[in-house]
Structure formats: structure tokens, C-alpha cells
Amino acid sequence: MMRRGSTHDSLETVIAAASAIASAEGRVQPVSVQPANKGPFATAAPWTSSLHDWRSPNRYVTTVGTMVKAYLRYEPRLVFGVIASVDSNISYDSSGKHVLAGALDSVAVWDMKKGTCSKYLSPSSHSSYSLAVTSVASSPSTSSSSIASGHADGSIRLWDLDAGTCEATLNGHRSATTVIRYNHLGSLLASGSKDCDIIIWDAIAEAGLFRFRGHRDQVTDLAFFDSAKKLASCSKDKFVRVWDLETQHCIQTISGHHSEVWSLDVDPNERFLVTGSSDPELHFYQIKNMAEEIDSSNKWDLLKHYGEIKRQGKERVATVRFSKSGNLLACQEAGKNVEIYLVLDEAKAKSKAKRRFKRKKEKVLAKSAGVVENGNSASAPSVPDSIGLEPGVLVSDVFKLSQTLRASKKICSIAFCPVDITKGTIATLSLSLNNNILETYSIEEGKADKKYTVELQGHRSDIRSVTLSSDNTLLLSTSHNSVKVWNPSTGSCLRTIESGYGLCCTFVPSDRYALVGMKTGTLEIIDVGSGSCTEVIEAHSAAIRSIVSVPDDNGSAGSSFVTGSADHDVKFWEYQLRAKPETESKQLTVKNLRTLKMNDDVLVISISPDAKYIAVALLDCTVRVFFLDTLKFFLSLYGHKLPVLCMDISSDGDLIVTGSADKNLKIWGLDFGDCHKSLFAHGDSVMDVKFVRNTHYMFSVGKDRLVKYWDADKFELLLTLEGHHAEVWCLAVSSQGDFIITGSHDRSIRRWDRTDEPFFLEEEREKRLEQMFELDLEANENKYAPREELPEDGSVGVPGKKTRETLTATDLIIDALDAAEDELKRLEQHKLDQQVGKADEFQPNVMLCGRSPSDHVLHAISTVHSNDVEQTLLALPYSDALKLMAYLKDWVQNPDKVELVCRITTVLLQTHHNQLITTPVAKAMLIELKDVLHARVKECKDTIGFNLAAMDHIKELMSMTSVAPFRDAKAKLMEIRSRLSRDSDEYKRERKKQKKSNKLVQT
């Protein structure tokens, strides 16, 4: 069988003859490029099978006189190993049963009680790490399963938690979203970003309402005042601002912090607002009650400074949060501690203030009495006038430090459970740690007990090596303190074995055992079935960098392996079975056969599939090739400028590829050691490279976060796979080449599957060039665009932003307007022809799909997402805007389109006001639209008012017939059901006990 990619003389003769005959007969027709045949290994047609190895995962597609090679695409299929990202917060859902945590570009929904992930909410686009989740929030409404996630590209996604689907994508921020908060009803959503802006979104209509501008640095936290319809925001510019949602402007700016304000929160009763910064104190503010105004210098101020409480820790505040009931305040520092304060009610606070006042009064009187006894009455201090007055309640009387919770690692985020599930506890608090762990604590009086921990589903640090079993059913991964065995098909963790810092690993033949090379130089033998370490062998005196099995004659793993270490040694080992002294069973052990001394640190080892050569990469940037049987020197491969970090030999033994810290891949011939090609492969060090078995295709990974797919015969880049959020350390390719596994510094393990979708090299090259061109174009636009002036203090702006989707929607609307205008002209001409008597039957334009011109334009603008309507209309030229306004009087007759017509009219009038008032044609149009639009809006308003009144009436009737208020009816019903279920369970247990006692009596 010939090597893949070579030509065949007889085949070329047949193709040329067929082409000549077809041309002579005049039957040459263009043949479209289509896949030849499908299957797990999509190969060429039977008569072209001699062109390449039948195992090749790609195919040749034939056209008349030409031959085009089609490859099969690899796409992301599975991501596992990440429990909670460091850059995202955590939140509970409205039921309190699940914790929502950002897991790179997905939102993981964790059942803390079971310790399992219920579902992953992942965007449909797997383009890049710009979709990393940076903030998560859940709607507080118990009747809603909506959650929101903010991403690193500034977008916000609304999810239906029950269905697990993305309902809408909101684009408005120009930088990463830093915080998301819902209001009490879940109807409004506020988001803050690194672009210093705050956007208020309508979560029901899935559209932006307005943008608040005024902060001069990143917005760090937000909080709604639902009763006053206000919003509080804090920023790294050291200011706290209060915004009025009705008048849409800033009504109060609070200064006084000496450093960045990192978090704020409002208690559920809306009595206090607390802010946390790098200052050693927590700042508290009283919230003005609209019924009883607090004395203030400005009657419009909502907040009044109440006092400070000195914190126990020295680190800056990361998060402050009140519990759902408002009886606890948690202050999370940027370290390992969470300070928990008790929030006393009004009666207890007054009682505490009276006791403090009484003690102070007694001290003053005792001091004055002591001075009088000494006979110095003239110098006796006078009793203050305030002693006889009513004591005032200070902030220290309301907030009392209860305890300090200390975690094992640095805390990233905290979240209170909205429902008190466990009896006898004050609240339930969950933490996300920076070592990929979720913990849940039950807070009691003076203590906190750990209830649940989610840690088995991921490593504590980055993935250093991965390897697949011989049948591809098991995956082994190593990290700094453990070895994990995974199911690569589902991503579930099967075994976790405590170990040292594993740098390399491999499965032993039969897959019952595995070998792990440690950073300390020891070699651990892992029993995969029992999940235990059976033996630790002192193999080397320095870190073991590589473990490679020696293949048998048939190419499968043999009975020996080789290790390479930083102690300059390459050791050859043999598997042995040794009987256990306490049992009759046998366990695996290894024995050192021989050692090859090198003159520098050994970084990586590779053995040819025919077990003829062994290649050793050294720290001196060279690769030495030896005969495996005699260990005699054969070749020296030099040319890399920095050390070779990875290499692999193809299945036929013809090629060896090396990847280096100099960012290059070099392809060598193993017969003469000549360099076939040097490829600039990655933007940073190449960390691993592997050939697909029985082919000359290879995968490489690097510190630039990319996975790349190459053709080593054509020296071409085939695919670039994006998805990892940090450096990719390791790579494993399945024996059939149908999927690959990659492990990264972001603690994720990703599986990429080969699909049946073909792609062609030229098309992929054009796509990459287009992407580069678009990136350069955007960079130049941003570079030469006029700088935006700093917004006015507390100004309001448009919520959306211009995107590719809005520009595409604008083009579609312009096309629809042009098509509708042409159709109207044809109709007018047809009417004129009818009057003359020359007209035939009118044939409508098929591009309008049977719709009238007005309906066709309406259909085009109705397909635009609600959040993108403003930006789409802003891009319309004035001439097209006039055409669009001509259709508004027809659309407003439809009750369902009144809101859309109002939005279109408002945007167009605000944008083109100066041109409209100077255009005579627009005057009559606007006058007509004014009368029609006002009447239709009034009708809709009356209908909504009637429906609201009817619902209020029904609510009153139901509240009169029910013991609980209408708003608490659902909660009351759930409480009754839970009590009945507990009663039934207790009844069943009593019956079982009674039956057991009766049986004992009978016996």
C-alpha cells in the first residue's frame, strides 16, 4: 500500500482518458465537491483507495480532471473538571436547592446535597475565551426559573433554568460584565461593567431600558431599593452613587471612602446599606423612609451616614451580603476569612443601647463621686447634659460580630441560601474557593458547621498530564496532589487517588494499573480498579519528565517501559508480578533493567512503533536518537533555539515531530535526520504534540491556549480549535483518532470529537484571513476613532451597542424597503395598464413570500431582537427612515404592534429631528401619525388598566377567602405540603417500629 497523499500513474491515466472522452462527446458538466462516502473513517471511493492508508480520517473528493482533498472537522463536545471559576461569583437559584457557579464559559448548576452537577448552561458559540462567565445572578421570584450570566465580552445571557436553554443575549457593554443584580420582582436587571457604565434591562421584554454614566472606574457592585425605585452602585473610583429609576438620573453621590469600594448591599427590610472597601471599617448608611423623612441637609438624599464598624481582618473587603431574612451580614475578605455579624431587631437594639447608656452613666457618676471623696470638688467633672436624655441607637447596637469563618483556601465568592432548609440553623452559606471547591456551611449561634463539599469533580490545580487506556474507555489525569480516573464519554470522575505532584502518566497493558512519574523522582503504581496506590518506587533522584511504553512487534504496548528524568538518566524497566505476603493474590511491580546516561536533563522521550529507535530530547535543545536494542547513537536532531518540550513519532516510523519553547514545530525524517519543515506553530511555547495513529496528521497544543490540527505531509495548518482559557499543558489522541483530550492550566479537561462534516484547506485558509482582516479593521477603527468625551456626572445614554448582528439587520430592513418600493411601483403600473386595458393578471414578487409590501417590511423589522431595535434603526440612512415612517400608520392598526411602532417612532424622531422639521414631505406624515398613534396608545393603556383592576379585584376576593395574604399563598401551600409529608413519614416510621415490636413480642 502506498503512502497517503502520493500519486498513482495508472489512476491519472484513467482520469485523463475519462475527461478527454467526456469533452469529445460534449457532456462535460461541472461536478460539485461532495463527500465520497461516510463512516467512522470517511475514505475515498473504492477505486481511489490506493491513494492513502484506509485508516485515514479524511477523504479525497473527485471532480472531472481534478482531485480535491477533504478533511473531517473536529468540534468541541465535552468540558469537565471545572467546579467553579475564580473570576465569577456564585449564586443560589430561587428554590435554594442548587448553586449556580461560573465554570469558564458555562454556568454549572450544582446540587450541593448530592454533590453532582445537574446541568451545564453553555452558549451555542464555542469561539473563544471571550465568553468566560464573569458574573451570575438568579431571579428572586419563586415563580420564575430565570437566571442571568455576564460574560467577558460584555454580553449578558438570560437562561431558563428548568429547560436549560438560552432565552436571549443582551449586548450593551463594551468590556467585561462585573456584576448583575435582579430587583425583588425579577422584572428588572441591572448590570455593571469595566466600561464604567450601568445598564438597566427589562428582563421580561429582554431589552435595554437606559444606561447610567458617571462612574470613572470599574463598577463593582449594585443593589436595588425596591420600595423607593432607586439603585445604588459602587465603583473603584471610591464613590457610591444613588440613581433614580423613574427620572433616570443620579440623585446622590457619597464620598468618604479612602480606597476602592468593592461591594455593597441592602438588607431585605431596606433599613441599612453597607459598603466594604480596603478601609479597615465597614461603612453603614440609613435608608430614608418615604413616610418618615430622616433629617438631612438635602431633602433629596436617600442615604444618611450611620456609622462604621471596625473589621477584624486586614485584607480588603471582597463581598458584603445580607441573608434572606436580614438577620445576618456576611463580610468576605480577599483572603480566607468571612466575618459574620448578627443584625439585631429594633427592640433588641434599643435594649442594648439602654444598657450601654446605663453603663456610661454609672461610670461618669462613679468618677465624679470618687473625686468628691478626695475633697477636690472644684475639679469634679460635670455630668453631661446628654445623660438625662433618651439614648440613641448606634450602629454598634444593631450589628454585632458573631463569628469568623475561616476556610482552607482563599475565598472567591459567597452566597446565602434564600431558603432555610435545615432546622435549628440561622442561615446557610456557600463559598467558592480558588482551588476549585464549593463548600456549604450551616450558620448557628456562635459556630458554623460544614455540611456539603463539592471537590471530587475536579482537580485542585492545573492538569499536568493526561493519557487514555488502550480501549479509550478510561482517562487518567494528574495534578499537584492527586490522580483522577475519568470516563471520557460522560466526563464523570470514577476514582480519585491522593498522590504527589504527577508530571507524566501512562496505563500499563491490560489497563488494570497505571504508572505516574512524580516531580520528586518517585514512580507510583496505581491500581485503577481499587483507586489506590500499591507501591512507590524511588526511580530517579530528580523529576520524572516522561514515561513511554515499549511496543511489541505488533505495535501494541509491551512488557516494559522507559522513564526519563532531570537527573540525566534514561531508565528501562520491566513489569513483574509479585505475590502479596498477606494474601494469595499478586500485584504489579517493576524492575530496572538498564540505564542510559545522558549529559543533560532529559525532557521528553519517544519510541518508534517498531521499537527500533528511541529519541531523547535534552535541555541543550537537541534530540538524540539511539537504537533501542543496543543503545548505540544513531542521529542528532538540532535546530531548535530553545529546549524541546514535546515530540512524537508517526505510526509508520517515517516522521518525527518536535515542539519547542521557541514556538516552532519541526518535522524530521527519521531515516536520515533531515528537517523537512519548520513551522511557526503557536504564539507561545509548544507544550505537547501527537500524531493521529496510522496517519501523518498531528495535533499540537501550546501556552497560547490553542489546539491546532496539522497535515505533516503538506506542512499545512488544517484547523485551530479555541476554547481553553489558559495555557494548554497536555494532549491525548484516541487510538482511532475519533477524538482528542486536552488538559489545561484552567483546570478543565476538554474533549474534541471528529465529525462527518468535511472541510477544505482553501476554505479554512480564507476564513482565517477574513478573521485576521476583521480584527485588524476593528483595531484600526478603534485606534483612529475620535475619543469619547467623558460623560457628564450622572448622565443617561442608550443601552445597546453596535454589533455585527445590528448591521446585518439594518441591511435586511433596507433590502425589504427596496423590495416593497419596487412592488408598489409595479402595482401602480398594473393599475394604469388596467385602465388602458393592456394589463394581464398581476404576478406578485416571489421574494415577498406572498406578503403585501407593508407586511414584508414589518416582517423584516419584527425579526430584529428587541434589544437591537434602537441600534438597528440608528444605522438607517435618512432616506430609508422616511420610507419606514410611511408604513407606521398602517402597522399601528394591529394591537400587537403598537409598542413596536412607538419604539420605532421615538428612535427615528430623536435621531432625525432636524431633518424631519425641514422636510415638507414629512410634515403631513407626522401630523397623520400623531393623531392615529395617540388614539391607539390610549386604547392599549385603557385595556391594560382594565386588566390590572380586574386582577386586583380577584386578588382581594382570594385574600378574603384565604387565611394567608395572596402573595404568600404559594409559600403557605408549600409549607402545608411539607408539613403533611413530614407527618406521613413520621407515621410510617411509627408503624414500622410498632410492627417490629409486635414481632419481638410474638417470638
Side-chain angles (χ1 to χ4, degrees):
M1 183 176 292
M2 296 185 66
R3 220 166 68 184
R4 179 184 50 78
S6 62
T7 58
H8 197 281
D9 295 338
S10 60
L11 182 59
E12 288 184 350
T13 305
V14 171
I15 294 175
S19 178
I21 295 172
S23 300
E25 295 179 357
R27 293 185 288 103
V28 177
Q29 298 292 334
V31 181
S32 60
V33 179
Q34 296 291 338
N37 48 348
K38 296 184 178 181
F41 307 103
T43 61
W47 54 272
T48 63
S49 60
S50 62
L51 286 175
H52 62 293
D53 195 334
W54 67 273
R55 299 181 182 87
S56 171
N58 302 301
R59 65 186 84 178
Y60 284 88
V61 179
T62 307
T63 61
V64 175
T66 61
M67 183 172 293
V68 180
K69 188 172 184 179
Y71 301 88
L72 294 183
R73 189 178 299 278
Y74 283 80
E75 291 184 352
R77 177 181 174 267
L78 199 62
V79 183
F80 52 95
V82 181
I83 298 173
S85 298
V86 178
D87 298 329
S88 175
N89 67 312
I90 61 173
S91 176
Y92 272 92
D93 67 340
S94 57
S95 66
K97 296 180 181 179
H98 300 96
V99 172
L100 312 173
L104 300 181
D105 50 355
S106 304
V107 178
V109 184
W110 293 97
D111 188 329
M112 296 299 294
K113 193 172 183 180
K114 297 179 181 178
T116 59
C117 184
S118 302
K119 61 184 68 174
Y120 277 99
L121 307 178
S122 302
S124 58
S125 173
H126 297 272
S127 58
S128 66
Y129 43 83
S130 63
L131 293 178
V133 177
T134 55
S135 53
V136 181
S138 173
S139 174
S141 175
T142 55
S143 60
S144 173
S145 62
S146 176
I147 67 171
S149 63
H151 297 262
D153 61 350
S155 63
I156 297 170
R157 284 171 171 77
L158 302 180
W159 305 85
D160 187 340
L161 186 58
D162 295 338
T165 57
C166 181
E167 300 295 322
T169 300
L170 309 176
N171 292 302
H173 290 293
R174 298 182 299 276
S175 301
T177 308
T178 54
V179 58
I180 297 177
R181 293 290 285 268
Y182 276 96
N183 69 339
H184 178 66
L185 297 176
S187 58
L188 293 180
L189 181 70
S191 63
S193 170
K194 288 184 178 180
D195 61 8
C196 313
D197 292 347
I198 302 165
I199 300 180
I200 308 299
W201 309 88
D202 187 339
I204 308 301
E206 299 172 354
L209 298 178
F210 40 84
R211 181 194 301 265
F212 287 138
R213 290 178 171 175
H215 282 295
R216 295 294 185 264
D217 207 336
Q218 168 184 329
V219 180
T220 53
D221 209 350
L222 302 167
F224 278 97
F225 303 100
D226 290 295
S227 59
K229 296 182 180 179
K230 305 291 191 296
L231 176 76
S233 64
C234 62
S235 169
K236 290 172 70 175
D237 61 5
K238 307 179 185 178
F239 291 106
V240 176
R241 292 179 179 269
V242 181
W243 310 83
D244 193 318
L245 301 180
E246 292 182 332
T247 59
Q248 300 176 14
H249 73 284
C250 179
I251 62 173
Q252 187 178 2
T253 302
I254 299 174
S255 59
H257 296 87
H258 302 287
S259 57
E260 298 92 343
V261 186
W262 290 99
S263 183
L264 59 80
D265 199 22
V266 177
D267 72 313
N269 298 322
E270 295 190 4
R271 295 186 302 158
F272 308 104
L273 179 138
V274 57
T275 62
S277 63
S278 300
D279 300 345
E281 306 91 7
L282 289 176
H283 295 256
F284 291 86
Y285 300 88
Q286 273 186 313
I287 301 173
K288 180 189 295 185
N289 191 344
M290 305 312 291
E292 300 177 2
E293 291 191 1
I294 300 174
D295 293 335
S296 177
S297 58
N298 190 346
K299 64 178 182 179
W300 301 110
D301 287 351
L302 184 70
L303 301 178
K304 179 185 177 183
H305 187 257
Y306 190 38
E308 294 91 12
I309 291 181
K310 189 172 180 62
R311 298 186 288 111
Q312 302 295 316
K314 304 298 182 184
E315 302 283 346
R316 72 166 178 85
V317 175
T319 311
V320 288
R321 286 292 181 267
F322 283 96
S323 62
K324 181 68 174 178
S325 58
N327 57 351
L328 288 181
L329 170 65
C331 171
Q332 174 223 334
E333 297 179 352
K336 300 181 180 180
N337 296 335
V338 178
E339 295 179 5
I340 299 175
Y341 295 85
L342 284 175
V343 184
L344 305 180
D345 57 17
E346 189 175 356
K348 291 182 180 179
K350 286 183 178 180
S351 176
K352 187 177 179 181
K354 287 181 180 179
R355 290 197 301 270
R356 175 181 51 78
F357 180 78
K358 185 178 180 181
R359 288 195 300 269
K360 182 179 179 182
K361 185 176 180 180
E362 289 175 352
K363 284 182 181 179
V364 173
L365 294 175
K367 188 174 182 180
S368 62
V371 172
V372 171
E373 287 179 1
N374 293 333
N376 192 8
S377 59
S379 62
S382 60
V383 179
D385 296 337
S386 61
I387 292 295
L389 301 177
E390 185 70 20
V393 179
L394 303 179
V395 64
S396 57
D397 299 327
V398 181
F399 296 91
K400 173 187 174 184
L401 180 63
S402 173
Q403 58 183 301
T404 300
L405 190 154
R406 185 171 178 83
S408 58
K409 291 292 182 179
K410 185 178 178 181
I411 303 172
C412 296
S413 177
I414 61 173
F416 274 108
C417 180
V419 180
D420 295 331
I421 301 176
T422 308
K423 285 186 176 181
T425 61
I426 303 176
T428 302
L429 182 68
S430 289
L431 317 175
S432 68
L433 308 183
N434 70 341
N435 62 342
N436 205 24
I437 287 181
L438 286 176
E439 294 180 345
T440 300
Y441 291 83
S442 60
I443 310 299
E444 301 176 7
E445 287 286 349
K447 66 175 183 178
D449 296 330
K450 187 187 295 187
K451 292 176 59 180
Y452 312 117
T453 303
V454 178
E455 60 180 345
L456 296 179
Q457 300 300 322
H459 282 285
R460 307 283 74 77
S461 65
D462 47 350
I463 315 297
R464 298 302 306 187
S465 66
V466 290
T467 186
L468 287 164
S469 61
S470 58
D471 56 358
N472 303 321
T473 58
L474 295 177
L475 172 69
L476 192 73
S477 64
T478 65
S479 185
H480 79 292
N481 65 350
S482 64
V483 176
K484 288 185 179 289
V485 182
W486 308 82
N487 183 345
S489 300
T490 61
S492 59
C493 182
L494 305 178
R495 298 282 187 274
T496 300
I497 304 104
E498 297 296 328
S499 68
Y501 200 130
L503 296 178
C504 53
C505 60
T506 186
F507 276 97
V508 175
S510 76
D511 300 330
R512 289 185 56 192
Y513 294 91
L515 302 173
V516 181
M518 298 295 164
K519 192 175 183 179
T520 58
T522 58
L523 185 67
E524 292 189 2
I525 302 177
I526 305 296
D527 189 335
V528 177
S530 63
S532 61
C533 178
T534 60
E535 190 175 0
V536 178
I537 299 169
E538 297 293 335
H540 292 271
S541 59
I544 300 177
R545 300 286 184 183
S546 184
I547 298 178
V548 182
S549 296
V550 178
D552 284 338
D553 296 336
N554 56 2
S556 60
S559 59
S560 60
F561 65 96
V562 184
T563 59
S565 170
D567 62 0
H568 304 185
D569 288 348
V570 177
K571 293 189 176 183
F572 296 80
W573 305 81
E574 183 183 32
Y575 300 118
Q576 292 182 349
L577 290 176
R578 183 179 62 189
K580 292 183 179 180
E582 64 275 5
T583 61
E584 297 181 356
S585 61
K586 295 182 179 181
Q587 71 177 20
L588 182 73
T589 186
V590 295
K591 178 184 178 182
N592 186 16
L593 299 178
R594 51 182 177 169
T595 301
L596 176 63
K597 296 287 185 179
M598 307 301 295
N599 56 3
D600 213 332
D601 292 8
V602 178
L603 299 182
V604 62
I605 295 173
S606 186
I607 298 176
S608 61
D610 57 359
K612 185 177 181 181
Y613 303 111
I614 177 172
V616 183
L618 303 178
L619 193 61
D620 61 2
C621 310
T622 63
V623 176
R624 306 294 178 88
V625 184
F626 301 87
F627 290 100
L628 186 61
D629 51 357
T630 62
L631 297 185
K632 288 185 178 181
F633 177 76
F634 174 56
L635 289 173
S636 179
L637 310 178
Y638 56 89
H640 283 289
K641 297 178 181 179
L642 291 174
V644 175
L645 304 178
C646 55
M647 63 180 174
D648 194 25
I649 299 176
S650 61
S651 299
D652 56 5
D654 289 347
L655 300 179
I656 177 172
V657 59
T658 57
S660 168
D662 62 7
K663 310 175 187 178
N664 290 331
L665 282 174
K666 288 185 182 292
I667 302 170
W668 315 77
L670 200 54
D671 44 3
F672 300 108
D674 55 326
C675 182
H676 291 182
K677 190 70 174 177
S678 181
L679 303 171
F680 182 76
H682 290 268
D684 208 331
S685 301
V686 184
M687 299 309 300
D688 205 351
V689 62
K690 289 285 190 300
F691 275 105
V692 179
R693 189 177 179 184
N694 297 319
T695 69
H696 283 177
Y697 307 115
M698 59 187 184
F699 286 92
S700 66
V701 297
K703 285 186 177 181
D704 59 355
R705 311 177 184 184
L706 300 178
V707 182
K708 294 192 175 183
Y709 184 33
W710 305 86
D711 188 336
D713 286 334
K714 292 187 175 182
F715 315 122
E716 290 282 357
L717 173 63
L718 304 180
L719 280 179
T720 299
L721 306 176
E722 297 179 346
H724 280 290
H725 296 245
E727 299 91 338
V728 188
W729 296 125
C730 49
L731 165 72
V733 183
S734 67
S735 57
Q736 304 295 334
D738 52 345
F739 69 91
I740 65 170
I741 301 290
T742 54
S744 170
H745 182 71
D746 60 13
R747 297 168 186 161
S748 71
I749 301 174
R750 293 178 181 260
R751 171 172 169 156
W752 314 78
D753 277 14
R754 188 176 65 208
T755 64
D756 288 335
E757 178 188 354
F759 71 92
F760 303 96
L761 197 56
E762 291 297 329
E763 293 179 358
E764 290 299 315
R765 190 181 294 116
E766 290 176 2
K767 286 181 182 178
R768 288 194 293 269
L769 290 175
E770 288 177 2
Q771 291 176 357
M772 292 173 61
F773 176 75
E774 289 175 356
L775 291 175
D776 291 341
L777 189 62
E778 291 177 1
N780 290 331
E781 285 180 356
N782 297 330
K783 182 178 180 180
Y784 298 108
R787 290 187 177 181
E788 288 189 4
E789 296 182 359
L790 288 175
E792 295 181 4
D793 194 17
S795 62
V796 180
V798 180
K801 71 173 182 179
K802 183 171 67 175
T803 60
R804 294 180 184 176
E805 289 77 12
T806 60
L807 295 178
T808 304
T810 303
D811 292 338
L812 293 176
I813 292 174
I814 293 174
D815 293 341
L817 288 170
D818 293 340
E821 186 179 12
D822 294 340
E823 187 71 4
L824 289 174
K825 289 180 179 178
R826 291 180 62 238
L827 283 170
E828 290 178 2
Q829 185 64 36
H830 180 70
K831 289 180 181 178
L832 293 176
D833 294 341
Q834 275 185 336
Q835 294 176 0
V836 180
K838 298 180 180 180
D840 297 331
E841 185 179 356
F842 181 76
Q843 297 294 332
N845 188 357
V846 295
M847 298 300 294
L848 270 62
C849 302
R851 294 184 287 263
S852 65
S854 176
D855 292 341
H856 181 64
V857 179
L858 178 61
H859 174 75
I861 200 168
S862 298
T863 55
V864 182
H865 189 269
S866 177
N867 183 52
D868 297 334
V869 170
E870 284 83 359
Q871 291 296 327
T872 302
L873 295 175
L874 286 175
L876 273 179
Y878 176 63
S879 58
D880 292 306
L882 274 180
K883 296 177 185 177
L884 183 62
M885 294 185 71
Y887 295 102
L888 296 181
K889 63 180 183 297
D890 297 331
W891 299 347
V892 78
Q893 303 302 326
N894 186 351
D896 296 336
K897 302 299 179 182
V898 173
E899 182 185 358
L900 178 62
V901 172
C902 290
R903 291 183 65 186
I904 295 172
T905 307
T906 304
V907 174
L908 294 181
L909 285 176
Q910 291 175 348
T911 306
H912 305 289
H913 176 264
N914 294 332
Q915 292 92 333
L916 287 171
I917 60 178
T918 57
T919 305
V921 181
K923 184 177 180 180
M925 184 193 309
L926 292 175
I927 293 174
E928 185 179 3
L929 184 62
K930 174 186 173 183
D931 298 334
V932 178
L933 191 58
H934 275 278
R936 297 299 296 167
V937 171
K938 189 176 183 304
E939 289 179 11
C940 293
K941 183 179 178 182
D942 293 342
T943 303
I944 294 173
F946 180 82
N947 292 337
L948 287 175
M951 292 177 68
D952 289 336
H953 180 65
I954 295 173
K955 175 180 174 181
E956 290 178 3
L957 291 177
M958 295 186 69
S959 61
M960 290 172 60
T961 58
S962 175
V963 179
F966 180 76
R967 64 178 181 274
D968 300 332
K970 184 177 180 180
K972 193 74 175 177
L973 179 62
M974 299 303 294
E975 183 182 349
I976 294 172
R977 286 181 177 176
S978 61
R979 186 172 67 249
L980 290 175
S981 63
R982 287 197 301 269
D983 294 343
S984 62
D985 293 341
E986 291 177 0
Y987 177 74
K988 290 179 181 178
R989 286 195 294 270
E990 289 178 0
R991 287 294 303 271
K992 287 182 179 179
K993 290 181 181 178
Q994 188 175 1
K995 287 182 180 180
K996 289 182 180 178
S997 60
N998 292 336
K999 288 181 180 179
L1000 291 173
V1001 170
Q1002 292 176 0
T1003 54

